[in-house]
Amino acid sequence: MSRNRSGLLCGLLAIVLCAVSTALAAADDRPTPTRQQILDASRPDEWRSLDPAQTLYMRLAHDHLVVIELAPDWAPAHVANIKTLVREHYFDGTSVYRVQDNFVVQWGDPADDPKQAKSMGTAKTRLPPEYTRPMKGIGHFTLLPDGDVYAPQVGFVDGLPVGRDPKTGRAWLVQCYGMVGVSRDNDPMSGNGNTLYVPIGQAPRRLDHQLAVVGRVVQGMEWLSALPRGTGPLGIYTDPALRTPIVSVRLAADVPIKQRLHLQVLRTDSKSFARLLDATRNRHGAFYKEPPGHVGICDAPLPVREAPGK
Amino acid sequence: MSRNRSGLLCGLLAIVLCAVSTALAAADDRPTPTRQQILDASRPDEWRSLDPAQTLYMRLAHDHLVVIELAPDWAPAHVANIKTLVREHYFDGTSVYRVQDNFVVQWGDPADDPKQAKSMGTAKTRLPPEYTRPMKGIGHFTLLPDGDVYAPQVGFVDGLPVGRDPKTGRAWLVQCYGMVGVSRDNDPMSGNGNTLYVPIGQAPRRLDHQLAVVGRVVQGMEWLSALPRGTGPLGIYTDPALRTPIVSVRLAADVPIKQRLHLQVLRTDSKSFARLLDATRNRHGAFYKEPPGHVGICDAPLPVREAPGK
């Protein structure tokens, strides 16, 4: 009888184990959720609204709008100077004058000679380098465990890709596609924010901690990345007529509330972001036969959306 | 006296050491040679002329020319099928119909439904997957010692970026900017070469060994990368009028000799390529204060030039 009972228990156990293993197998075979499915399942508090005081609207010809989120924690003097330039309408009437394929788009003052440069008003013309900052105090660092070719550690802080080096105690924003940097001459003090650039191809990681990075394009990247390539050295347009006019650059906080966009970025310390990374890393399904197994710092999706109900 | 002599020797030694260390310091302070300086110093035999039998000329509207070098060693059945399609003028009158920002440009047949597809003539409509190949027999592998996030090993073979896995004995072409891949549906047999794509942003490494890679754009990449982005799902143009017409695709060998281009690629097993990698990795000079110290597989320059005297 005990045999029987034990036989029955064994049978039940087998059924349970079988059910569990079937369920696991089913879970394994289930396609990885898509990016949209993960975002649809995200909670409202996993999103962070852009701060109007740290958001730029750059309006190009043809009413093409590029939205940039500034990163004052990473280059405070440069960001402050850019905001001064913006508030004094410095960029209005300047242009996108350099488009180098698989490298960068650059805009602002095209003058090489400081004597020919457009007046910067009350903004500073020289600033100390802000290429790295102390690791301490940068907020929650979501470590990316997949490794990196260039930095000892990479991860995300507040929606931005970050490299850091525990040996030096320094951290920096990584030069991924869509990040906004401050152009400069050879003199490290020469970067002042009157000329900005954004990578439009493979991330130019060789620029990491060589220039001040001041933010990220969060909308309208295609109005920069699809511009015709310049044929002069460094992709500079040889014919100034080819430049794309910048109609205006405004701080969102200076725009009437009704005209503001209501954009949100997914918090990189959220569970949904972790799910997104995991789905990117372990993607499998009808198309992906073999999960890539890894995700690079510049390959991670950094979702932006319009605030629901706006 | 021996003291004196030894003192003299010591003094001479000190001078020599001092001179050597000054020379080293001077060498260290000397800016890294530029890419152009390295290429200017290269030897003729470090360059490989494109094989007309493996080179495609894709002519877009406005006489924009895209030159593609095929890689038959990596996907022989796909390359053979593409050459059949080209010889039967399959691509003439098709279009670039998908441009997804920071991902890919895609051209060929836009039909999702095979019943609506353009006739492929004598070419095959289904092909076995050729996503990887045996490591053995791929020729000289120039290992990149800088590491990689996705592949156990990366390096260069005959001018192309390659990943390999000594455990499985397999190798594959890496999906860097400018590489040409074969689009397919979920069915791995569905890729046949009638639709091709090229990455135009950050290398989509998650596609590595998931698709057949058949070559590389060696000239005219800007005619693809700067096309307006599509606004439909996957960057497909919602309005067919936005597509960029493909006037013709021809094999260079089928073009009269006088009309052929004479392009050369730098051999990746050459000393000049090693110098180029080293200069990229250890770049320093007036602008670069701190060498990046590393170079990624998709960050390495793969120079192309017109043959001197042509």
Side-chain angles (χ1 to χ4, degrees), chain B:
Chain B
M1 188 177 153
S2 72
R3 259 186 103 89
N4 276 357
R5 191 175 276 182
S6 119
L8 180 66
L9 277 175
C10 281
L12 282 173
L13 191 64
I15 289 166
V16 169
L17 281 176
C18 185
V20 166
S21 79
T22 304
L24 284 174
D28 253 359
D29 287 345
R30 221 169 29 190
T32 317
T34 65
R35 184 183 301 196
Q36 198 53 53
Q37 286 169 335
I38 293 169
L39 297 184
D40 288 347
S42 67
R43 291 193 332 224
D45 63 0
E46 293 184 306
W47 296 81
R48 173 174 64 73
S49 291
L50 295 196
D51 178 357
Q54 306 296 348
T55 305
L56 297 182
Y57 298 155
M58 176 160 75
R59 204 165 291 278
L60 305 178
H62 310 294
D63 214 25
H64 292 164
L65 182 68
V66 179
V67 182
I68 296 166
E69 182 181 28
L70 295 169
D73 290 348
W74 295 89
H78 285 77
V79 167
N81 215 44
I82 289 166
K83 284 163 77 170
T84 299
L85 289 168
V86 165
R87 288 205 146 123
E88 297 179 2
H89 298 187
Y90 170 85
F91 289 102
D92 302 17
T94 64
S95 65
V96 182
Y97 64 90
R98 175 189 181 190
V99 185
Q100 189 169 0
D101 196 53
N102 194 18
F103 190 36
V104 296
V105 162
Q106 189 168 310
W107 65 91
D109 193 339
D112 260 346
D113 182 355
K115 287 175 195 161
Q116 297 189 325
K118 183 174 177 175
S119 163
M120 290 179 61
T122 70
K124 291 176 181 148
T125 55
R126 291 171 65 76
L127 289 175
E130 293 177 312
Y131 308 158
T132 64
R133 57 151 288 164
M135 273 171 59
K136 270 194 184 171
I138 56 172
H140 185 84
F141 182 83
T142 304
L143 182 80
L144 191 69
D146 306 71
D148 186 67
V149 170
Y150 290 86
Q153 293 182 349
V154 289
F156 303 91
V157 175
D158 220 14
L160 294 167
V162 168
R164 66 179 196 181
D165 184 350
K167 277 190 192 162
T168 62
R170 307 295 295 180
W172 56 91
L173 293 179
V174 175
Q175 303 259 354
C176 297
Y177 185 97
M179 299 297 285
V180 177
V182 172
S183 305
R184 63 166 172 85
D185 298 328
N186 291 343
D187 176 2
M189 293 283 292
S190 63
N192 56 37
N194 72 345
T195 311
L196 302 170
Y197 71 91
V198 65
I200 58 164
Q202 178 70 14
R205 300 290 306 277
R206 63 187 181 277
L207 299 182
D208 276 7
H209 45 78
Q210 308 265 0
L211 293 144
V213 180
V214 291
R216 177 165 88 92
V217 173
V218 289
Q219 189 178 294
M221 187 59 198
E222 67 274 21
W223 305 128
L224 297 171
S225 58
L227 290 174
R229 279 39 181 163
T231 55
L234 305 177
I236 290 172
Y237 292 125
T238 48
D239 179 0
L242 295 172
R243 296 175 185 165
T244 299
I246 296 175
V247 176
S248 65
V249 180
R250 293 289 177 275
L251 201 64
D254 295 340
V255 165
I257 290 179
K258 283 195 175 171
Q259 290 170 28
R260 290 184 204 162
L261 298 173
H262 298 278
L263 297 178
Q264 299 183 322
V265 297
L266 185 67
R267 290 179 185 277
T268 44
D269 57 357
S270 68
K271 281 191 182 167
S272 287
F273 183 68
R275 286 188 72 205
L276 211 52
L277 282 185
D278 190 56
T280 305
R281 188 183 289 121
N282 299 311
R283 187 185 306 217
H284 69 278
F287 187 85
Y288 287 85
K289 309 302 173 192
E290 187 191 351
H294 306 271
V295 57
I297 183 68
C298 291
D299 307 334
L302 295 172
V304 178
R305 71 174 186 186
E306 290 189 35
K310 290 288 179 180

Side-chain angles (χ1 to χ4, degrees), chain A residues 148-273:
Chain A
D148 186 67
V149 170
Y150 290 86
Q153 293 182 350
V154 289
F156 304 90
V157 175
D158 221 15
L160 294 167
V162 168
R164 66 180 196 181
D165 185 350
K167 276 190 192 162
T168 62
R170 307 296 294 181
W172 56 90
L173 293 179
V174 174
Q175 303 258 354
C176 297
Y177 185 97
M179 298 297 286
V180 178
V182 173
S183 305
R184 62 167 173 84
D185 297 327
N186 291 344
D187 176 2
M189 293 283 290
S190 63
N192 56 38
N194 72 344
T195 311
L196 302 171
Y197 72 90
V198 65
I200 58 164
Q202 178 70 13
R205 299 291 306 277
R206 63 187 180 276
L207 299 182
D208 277 6
H209 45 78
Q210 307 265 1
L211 293 145
V213 180
V214 291
R216 177 165 88 92
V217 173
V218 289
Q219 189 177 293
M221 187 59 197
E222 66 275 21
W223 304 128
L224 298 171
S225 58
L227 289 174
R229 279 39 181 162
T231 54
L234 306 176
I236 289 171
Y237 292 124
T238 48
D239 179 1
L242 295 172
R243 296 175 185 166
T244 299
I246 296 175
V247 176
S248 66
V249 180
R250 294 289 177 275
L251 201 64
D254 294 340
V255 165
I257 290 178
K258 283 195 174 171
Q259 291 171 25
R260 290 185 203 162
L261 298 172
H262 297 278
L263 297 178
Q264 300 183 320
V265 298
L266 185 67
R267 290 180 185 277
T268 44
D269 57 356
S270 68
K271 280 191 183 169
S272 287
F273 183 68

